[in-house]
Amino acid sequence: MLSRVAERVYWLARYMERVENTARLARVHSQLMFDLPKSVKLNWYSLVEITSNEAYFDQYYDARTEQNCMTMLLSDRDNPASLISSLWWARENTRTTRDILPREAWIHINELYLLVKDNQADFQVRSKRNLLLEKIIRSCQAWSGMLSSTMSQNETYRFIKLGMSIERADMTSRILDVGGLFVAQETTVDHEYPYEGILWANLLKSISAHFMYRQNVQTEINGQQVVDFLIHDKEFARSIRYCVSVMRGMASKLPNGEEMGDAIESFLKYIDENNFYEVGSTALHDYLDEIQLQLSSIHTKFYDVWFNPKAVA
């Protein structure tokens, strides 16, 4: 496979995962705003912070309103991290790699793009927005399931899984970080944060982890256990530990994959050895920051090994 083709397939998967995650965040955040009392300092700008778009938002938007935050996150075509931009790039990468992907992959993404493009106005009306976001989430899940059941487990599929896994791990770390920081700012010296269960339940739902958490932990929702589950669980498909183990498995079966082995193994060791940080603590924030930095480093190594390898003299 040509390196430029591998890069496009990798980014196709990252963009589609980003589209789904962005839709989930927007939908669940809307629900959280209704569940928590008005006295709680939760606002729409939290979505901007989760996606690290503060600089872009402050440059192009004059107020932290629901409408502005939703526009930036979902329908701002000039924002490269918005849902519509990610979907456009996923569509473009699919169009230019149609010869190695099932025909249904192009049809599915093209139809989803046209659906979102024709109904962007719905993003500004809460009831219509949630219905459209639900359609987007279901479509992304159908696309992923279609590929897993119709593609050979070849190099193309492995680059798709690499893209999905690294994007998923990154989003999980960001959601946990924001949850921890919110608990830290709402907790007083004498009192625990009284709405912690509601907060963590909604964050679990934002990455479809609520059911599996309850099945595995079998206790009331507790922030400390949520953090541990979403970082260290070896079997849940959206935990950071599981996503990195998938990356290890996919990389080992790709050409020159041994060059990635040490970096990914070192990352897994870091995750396993650092297994307890108190929710709301600076140590947890620093730990999740380090996870994001290591994911970025592995992404860069992907380029060195597969997408932009140095020529051999």
Side-chain angles (χ1 to χ4, degrees):
M1 180 185 292
L2 295 176
S3 60
R4 66 176 181 271
V5 176
E7 180 186 15
R8 288 172 187 168
V9 169
Y10 167 79
W11 273 108
L12 157 63
R14 289 203 68 162
Y15 284 129
M16 285 300 289
E17 185 69 25
R18 192 172 298 175
V19 167
E20 181 181 347
N21 288 334
T22 303
R24 289 178 181 280
L25 282 174
R27 188 188 64 169
V28 173
H29 196 81
S30 296
Q31 184 61 48
L32 189 58
M33 293 289 287
F34 290 119
D35 288 346
L36 292 175
K38 293 182 179 179
S39 59
V40 177
K41 300 175 183 178
L42 183 69
N43 55 61
W44 296 101
Y45 191 72
S46 299
L47 294 173
V48 178
E49 296 172 321
I50 290 175
T51 54
S52 297
N53 277 290
E54 297 97 324
Y56 181 89
F57 186 92
D58 293 343
Q59 181 177 356
Y60 294 103
Y61 295 89
D62 58 359
R64 299 179 179 184
T65 63
E66 176 184 356
Q67 182 175 5
N68 284 345
C69 291
M70 287 296 101
T71 298
M72 188 227 70
L73 186 71
L74 301 175
S75 59
D76 185 345
R77 186 63 185 83
D78 294 327
N79 175 18
S82 71
L83 185 149
I84 190 66
S85 291
S86 296
L87 188 52
W88 187 91
W89 278 110
R91 177 176 179 265
E92 184 65 13
N93 284 339
T94 305
R95 184 185 65 79
T96 56
T97 54
R98 280 188 287 179
D99 56 330
I100 62 171
L101 293 171
R103 182 171 180 270
E104 292 83 358
W106 163 252
I107 294 174
H108 207 95
I109 289 181
N110 190 49
E111 289 179 346
L112 177 58
Y113 174 76
L114 294 175
L115 171 70
V116 175
K117 183 172 179 287
D118 293 342
N119 294 277
Q120 289 185 71
D122 290 356
F123 284 140
Q124 297 304 325
V125 183
R126 287 186 186 178
S127 59
K128 293 183 178 180
R129 177 172 68 225
N130 289 335
L131 288 174
L132 181 56
L133 291 173
E134 182 64 33
K135 290 179 182 178
I136 293 169
I137 293 167
R138 287 203 305 266
S139 186
C140 290
Q141 290 177 318
W143 177 83
S144 176
M146 179 272 297
L147 290 185
S148 67
S149 61
T150 62
M151 285 190 68
S152 298
Q153 309 296 295
N154 54 17
E155 290 183 1
T156 301
Y157 185 76
R158 289 172 190 138
F159 279 115
I160 287 174
K161 291 295 289 184
L162 280 177
M164 284 182 178
S165 298
I166 195 169
E167 186 70 27
R168 189 172 290 179
D170 180 72
M171 181 57 74
T172 298
S173 70
R174 291 175 183 276
I175 290 173
L176 286 173
D177 196 17
V178 170
L181 291 174
F182 184 73
V183 169
Q185 77 178 21
E186 291 294 322
T187 303
T188 64
V189 175
D190 300 321
H191 301 89
E192 294 183 354
Y193 174 49
Y195 307 109
E196 184 176 353
I198 297 174
L199 171 70
W200 290 110
N202 278 277
L203 291 182
L204 284 169
K205 291 174 184 177
S206 72
I207 52 177
S208 290
H210 186 265
F211 175 76
M212 296 312 302
Y213 169 85
R214 296 303 297 266
Q215 188 176 72
N216 282 270
V217 180
Q218 298 182 351
T219 63
E220 292 296 322
I221 294 177
N222 171 274
Q224 198 69 57
Q225 290 174 318
V226 170
V227 169
D228 183 61
F229 178 73
L230 292 180
I231 293 176
H232 298 108
D233 193 88
K234 295 180 179 181
E235 297 181 336
F236 178 59
R238 290 181 177 270
S239 78
I240 296 173
R241 186 22 169 109
Y242 182 87
C243 289
V244 178
S245 68
V246 170
M247 290 160 53
R248 176 181 60 184
M250 295 299 108
S252 68
K253 297 178 181 179
L254 286 167
N256 302 319
E258 65 278 359
E259 297 182 38
M260 289 299 311
D262 290 343
I264 297 179
E265 285 294 342
S266 176
F267 189 17
L268 283 172
K269 184 178 180 181
Y270 176 78
I271 293 172
D272 290 339
E273 290 181 350
N274 297 270
N275 55 20
F276 182 83
Y277 290 103
E278 185 178 354
V279 172
S281 68
T282 302
L284 175 61
H285 174 67
D286 292 343
Y287 174 58
L288 292 169
D289 264 359
E290 179 61 26
I291 284 177
Q292 291 167 24
L293 288 172
Q294 292 208 31
L295 286 169
S296 178
S297 176
I298 288 176
H299 166 79
T300 300
K301 290 181 184 296
F302 287 167
Y303 269 80
D304 294 338
V305 174
W306 293 306
F307 309 145
N308 189 28
K310 296 181 176 64
V312 179

